[in-house]
Amino acid sequence: MLSAPAPGLLPLLLGLGLLCRGVAGQYSSDLCNWKGSGLTHESHKKDVEQVYLRCSEGSIKWMYPTGALIVNLRPNTLSASYKHLTVCIKPFKDSAGANIYLEKTGELKLLVRDGDRSPNKVYCFGYDQGGLFIEATPQQDISRKITGFQYELINKGTASDLHTVSAPCRPCSDTEVLLAVCTSDFVVRGSIQDVTNEAEQQESVIDISANKLYRQKSKVFQPTEENGTWRGQIKTPLKCGVRPGDGDFLFTGRMQFGEARLGCAPRFKDFQRMYKEAKDKGLNPCEIGPD
């Protein structure tokens, strides 16, 4: 359901079609991150400012918010279509002073309400669902208000990305597991040593001992003093109900806002079966060596 625009927002929306006449354009020299101040709007508080970023991840930091921002995000790759992209934003812990909306053809849907203190919450939406429209809320004192968030553009055509974002607790199909092995940011064989549930964050932290490291893009898993083993931590939503268990698993996943997020994680013996069956039929999307 679309949320009703806040008081004073309707004139801003009516002006969207006349941007070339009344909107200040802000091209950041850093194409991934933007930092600006609403104090430049002091004499005309209903200005709408454009922000253009061309990057797969970065941040927005708007100090002393007044008026509104339109944030235009583009990936840093050439593409004829962006329909396969998912946009995720993670507000800063103390973000305040503005509402964040999804805007498409003049209609607004509230995404993040000013003052929402949901810890570490990530908001995701399809690229084709609209752009980001950030409107400052009326404040008696804006001197301590900063609205900000990190953002990521994710290819939802990638199995590991799609699973992590849209259905993190659902067991993966054989096809999803095999694709995740080829496309994930990390792939390891190991066992669960401990699970710490963080009720306030609504997350579980899984402590993993890995005996086989197939791939990792970031240093999630570090070698231990014991030869041939690595230790690392992966996060997953608390609602998934992960518990310590015996036996080896194949852990896959992706990095999201600097944290390792769990993707597909079948028991290793099940992965061996999937891999062998696909290899016998010539259907393996990539070679990994499952032994």
Side-chain angles (χ1 to χ4, degrees):
M1 179 179 293
L2 297 179
S3 300
L9 186 57
L10 187 57
L12 293 177
L13 293 178
L14 294 176
L16 289 179
L18 302 173
L19 292 178
C20 61
R21 296 175 54 187
V23 178
Q26 175 62 54
Y27 289 83
S28 174
S29 57
D30 178 349
L31 294 179
C32 296
N33 307 287
W34 181 85
K35 181 179 180 181
S37 171
L39 294 181
T40 57
H41 299 166
E42 198 62 35
S43 61
H44 36 290
K45 294 180 179 294
K46 295 305 178 185
D47 270 0
V48 181
E49 186 169 3
Q50 291 255 22
V51 174
Y52 297 88
L53 297 173
R54 190 178 182 89
C55 204
S56 59
E57 59 182 67
S59 64
I60 294 284
K61 187 175 184 179
W62 192 22
M63 300 179 293
Y64 323 120
T66 61
L69 293 180
I70 298 173
V71 181
N72 300 275
L73 299 176
R74 297 288 188 276
N76 56 356
T77 57
L78 295 176
S79 175
S81 172
Y82 300 135
K83 65 181 180 179
H84 296 302
L85 290 177
T86 292
V87 181
C88 290
I89 68 170
K90 182 180 181 181
F92 295 150
K93 181 179 179 180
D94 298 320
S95 180
N99 291 322
I100 303 175
Y101 297 87
L102 270 181
E103 185 278 326
K104 188 172 185 180
T105 61
E107 294 187 326
L108 293 182
K109 180 179 180 181
L110 184 62
L111 191 64
V112 186
R113 187 182 300 277
D114 182 20
D116 185 353
R117 292 292 186 269
S118 301
N120 291 327
K121 186 169 182 179
V122 175
Y123 303 82
C124 297
F125 55 91
Y127 190 90
D128 56 358
Q129 288 183 257
L132 291 172
F133 185 91
I134 309 173
E135 188 215 13
T137 54
Q139 304 286 339
Q140 293 295 323
D141 179 12
I142 65 170
S143 63
R144 296 184 179 181
K145 302 297 183 181
I146 298 177
T147 298
F149 56 85
Q150 297 171 275
Y151 71 85
E152 286 186 355
L153 302 182
I154 302 168
N155 182 1
K156 62 184 179 182
T158 300
S160 59
D161 291 341
L162 180 61
H163 182 271
T164 303
V165 170
S166 63
C169 302
R170 175 179 59 80
C172 293
S173 66
D174 289 7
T175 299
E176 287 173 327
V177 169
L178 294 173
L179 286 175
V181 167
C182 303
T183 60
S184 293
D185 291 340
F186 59 86
V187 182
V188 301
R189 173 185 178 179
S191 58
I192 299 175
Q193 299 301 297
D194 193 19
V195 176
T196 302
N197 293 323
E198 300 179 344
E200 183 179 351
Q201 309 296 330
Q202 286 298 294
E203 291 187 325
S204 295
V205 180
I206 309 169
D207 186 11
I208 293 172
S209 175
N211 52 49
K212 179 72 173 181
L213 183 65
Y214 295 102
R215 178 172 66 255
Q216 66 172 342
K217 292 184 179 180
S218 299
K219 295 182 179 180
V220 176
F221 296 91
Q222 298 287 337
T224 66
E225 295 181 358
E226 185 179 348
N227 289 337
T229 62
W230 293 261
R231 291 297 288 264
Q233 293 184 332
I234 303 174
K235 291 188 175 183
T236 195
L238 180 63
K239 63 182 180 182
C240 294
V242 176
R243 297 181 178 86
D246 297 331
D248 277 5
F249 295 81
L250 185 78
F251 297 99
T252 71
R254 66 180 301 273
M255 301 302 296
Q256 187 179 58
F257 300 113
E259 296 179 337
R261 310 295 305 188
L262 182 63
C264 298
R267 288 194 173 273
F268 191 74
K269 63 180 181 181
D270 292 331
F271 166 64
Q272 287 179 306
R273 172 190 55 77
M274 301 173 198
Y275 187 89
K276 183 179 185 303
E277 289 176 357
K279 186 174 183 179
D280 290 344
K281 296 176 182 177
L283 298 177
N284 268 355
C286 66
E287 295 287 334
I288 191 172
D291 296 330

